[in-house]
């Protein structure tokens, strides 16, 4: 079971993780094409990148928005972001790939 968390992490930790050559993966386009939601595709790509590492990232809401390329003027409240992006993306990934993806919300 893969677990994702949202925590405030320093920019340096994220930058160092992105410099890691193990972060890059070749994706199967047939698999990616099975995904319908734009943000689910972005999240799936991130998960595939991080599967090689011991832990998935722990992001602040702003870092999560940047990672999925969500503009600041969309889903302005966390409730909307969760309801329209996070929950549907996780649900679609789990339904299509059986990953058992979970996430935890921290304040």
């Amino acid at each position: 079971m893969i677990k994702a968390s949202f925590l405030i992490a320093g920019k340096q930790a994220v930058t160092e993780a992105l410099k890691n050559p193990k972060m890059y993966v070749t994706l199967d386009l047939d698999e990616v094409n099975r995904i319908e939601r734009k943000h689910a595709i972005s999240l799936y790509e991130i998960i595939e990148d991080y599967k090689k590492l011991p832990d998935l990232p722990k992001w602040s809401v702003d870092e999560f928005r940047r990672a999925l390329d969500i503009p600041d003027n969309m889903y302005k409240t966390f409730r909307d972001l969760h309801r329209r992006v996070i929950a549907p993306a996780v649900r679609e990934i789990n339904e299509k790939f059986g990953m058992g993806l979970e996430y935890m919300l921290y304040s």
Side-chain angles (χ1 to χ4, degrees), residues 43-70:
L43 185 58
Y44 176 77
E45 291 172 355
I46 291 166
I47 291 165
E48 286 297 313
D49 284 345
Y50 275 89
K51 279 172 65 173
K52 297 177 184 176
L53 300 177
D55 295 308
L56 286 173
K58 296 177 182 177
W59 288 328
S60 69
V61 173
D62 289 338
E63 289 169 328
F64 180 79
R65 285 174 161 285
R66 281 193 300 275
L68 271 68
D69 199 26
I70 300 170

Side-chain angles (χ1 to χ4, degrees), residues 70-87:
I70 300 170
D72 291 338
N73 64 343
M74 290 182 69
Y75 317 116
K76 292 181 182 181
T77 66
F78 180 77
R79 179 180 179 195
D80 286 341
L81 180 69
H82 182 260
R83 186 174 49 130
R84 296 181 176 258
V85 176
I86 299 170

Side-chain angles (χ1 to χ4, degrees), residues 6-68:
F6 299 97
L7 286 178
I8 296 175
K11 286 183 182 178
Q12 184 174 357
V14 173
T15 302
E16 290 304 313
L18 291 175
K19 290 180 184 176
N20 183 345
K22 294 180 182 178
M23 285 297 303
Y24 301 96
V25 65
T26 302
L27 296 173
D28 182 336
L29 288 180
D30 289 332
E31 286 186 0
V32 173
N33 286 333
R34 291 174 50 197
I35 303 171
E36 296 172 16
R37 295 177 175 272
K38 172 186 171 184
H39 300 303
I41 292 170
S42 298
L43 185 58
Y44 176 77
E45 291 172 355
I46 291 166
I47 291 165
E48 286 297 313
D49 284 345
Y50 275 89
K51 279 172 65 173
K52 297 177 184 176
L53 300 177
D55 295 308
L56 286 173
K58 296 177 182 177
W59 288 328
S60 69
V61 173
D62 289 338
E63 289 169 328
F64 180 79
R65 285 174 161 285
R66 281 193 300 275
L68 271 68

Side-chain angles (χ1 to χ4, degrees), residues 3-7 58-59 78 102-107:
K3 294 185 179 183
S5 304
F6 299 97
L7 286 178
K58 296 177 182 177
W59 288 328
F78 180 77
E102 293 180 350
Y103 57 93
M104 291 180 258
L105 307 175
Y106 295 92
S107 56

